Amino acid sequence: MVFGANIDNSPPAPGGHRVQYGTAILSRYPITASDNTWLYKSPGQEQRGLLHATLDVHGRKVEFYDTHLAASSQADRLRQTAQVVDLIGTAKPGILVGDFNALPGAPESQPLQKAYTDTWAKSRHARGDGATYPAQSPTERIDLVYATREVTPLVTKVLNDDPTASDHRPLLSKLLVKP
């Protein structure tokens, strides 16, 4: 498991715990390296980041990324998605997951849609409309899994087991990393 703190504040009271907010990656495969890069933020917006972990998947390196883009600024998301594509590139086997706070057809999603495979759209067995937000009655597909060309989506689905666990429903994607 790795955690990338994008907001890291002092304890609210003496002897208390730091107040941190960010993204995490949990993996059944060994994590051999990790780093967190802060993404562009305009004044008054929350700091967001791109958490990166290198996974050892049966001896093959897979680059895994997690992000949560700006919630209230399309202008920030436009800069953030371009930055994410620059940081990740397209050459290595890679997977990008996150809350993008934008629909796949939105202008700010286009750099990701052009550079990577939207696993929901390309999955052979996608069911439903892929909506994950809001959890109680999802209407928006803003949580996505993207893959580089060396990764083939097999199955992507929204998990509907416990919609009270978060304000979003989880998305599960089974992917094949090409040898």
Side-chain angles (χ1 to χ4, degrees), residues 27 29-30 54-62 95 177:
S27 174
Y29 300 104
T54 301
L55 308 180
D56 179 349
V57 180
H58 305 294
R60 179 96 193 258
K61 282 185 180 181
V62 176
I95 300 162
V177 177

Side-chain angles (χ1 to χ4, degrees), residues 52-55 57 59-65 88-96 116 146-152 175-179:
H52 167 229
T54 301
L55 308 180
V57 180
R60 179 96 193 258
K61 282 185 180 181
V62 176
E63 306 304 327
F64 194 92
Y65 301 86
I88 295 174
T90 58
K92 299 177 185 175
I95 300 162
L96 168 65
Y116 309 115
Y146 287 103
T148 62
R149 286 164 182 50
E150 292 186 31
V151 179
T152 303
L175 308 167
L176 175 66
V177 177
K178 297 176 185 174

